[in-house]
Amino acid sequence: EEEANVNLIRHVYTEFTRGNIPGVLSLLADDVEWTDPGYPDLPYAGARRGRKQVEDFFIKLNEYVALTQLEPRSYISQGNTGVALGYFEGRGKATGKTFKSDWAMTWRIQDQKIVYYHAYVDTASVAKTLNKGS
């Protein structure tokens, strides 16, 4: 089970880095809980529920941020919970300013579908790149 969970989480990152958002969404449960922190400083952030709201997250993320690197570096799995630890770099599309941050992302899996996701990132670093005034 734990190996299958890690493989599912890896598959999410693979689909995302390919730009296959429908592929990512297909790996989520219908009522997935999805939290990316930093709202309102990060306009794409917040708590969402269900695939349609998560799709909106990806649309807004793409509107504001260009990720230039997304690197999951290690995975930890216990029971139905998995954690990916990694690093990313990117830039604010409106400003061209760049950011970089280590991150941790927590996933919960049930019946080989993602039912819960929560990201932990340096939201202040990313927010600075989106603000034209800073």
Side-chain angles (χ1 to χ4, degrees):
E1 175 187 15
E2 292 170 353
E3 184 177 341
N5 290 345
V6 167
N7 288 337
L8 178 61
I9 295 165
R10 284 182 187 190
H11 193 60
V12 171
Y13 292 116
T14 299
E15 294 301 315
F16 178 74
T17 56
R18 288 180 178 156
N20 183 7
I21 301 310
V24 172
L25 296 174
S26 75
L27 302 172
L28 307 180
D30 292 340
D31 61 347
V32 63
E33 292 180 52
W34 188 277
T35 303
D36 209 272
Y39 187 81
D41 295 328
L42 302 178
Y44 56 84
R48 293 178 167 78
R49 187 170 197 98
R51 284 190 193 133
K52 185 68 183 150
Q53 288 186 10
V54 174
E55 181 180 27
D56 181 63
F57 161 80
F58 286 112
I59 290 168
K60 281 193 165 38
L61 177 67
N62 184 58
E63 182 180 337
Y64 290 96
V65 173
L67 286 177
T68 54
Q69 182 178 354
L70 177 71
E71 186 181 324
R73 294 182 171 165
S74 62
Y75 299 89
I76 304 161
S77 182
Q78 182 174 348
N80 71 338
T81 301
V83 177
L85 304 173
Y87 173 82
F88 65 13
E89 294 181 7
R91 65 177 168 76
K93 286 187 173 181
T95 64
K97 296 177 187 176
T98 60
F99 65 85
K100 55 187 172 183
S101 174
D102 291 317
W103 51 258
M105 297 178 184
T106 303
W107 306 85
R108 209 168 305 129
I109 294 133
Q110 184 177 322
D111 300 323
Q112 277 302 290
K113 292 284 186 182
I114 304 293
V115 296
Y116 173 87
Y117 161 86
H118 192 116
Y120 302 88
V121 303
D122 182 355
T123 56
S125 173
V126 179
K128 286 179 187 174
T129 68
L130 302 182
N131 186 345
K132 292 182 180 181
S134 305

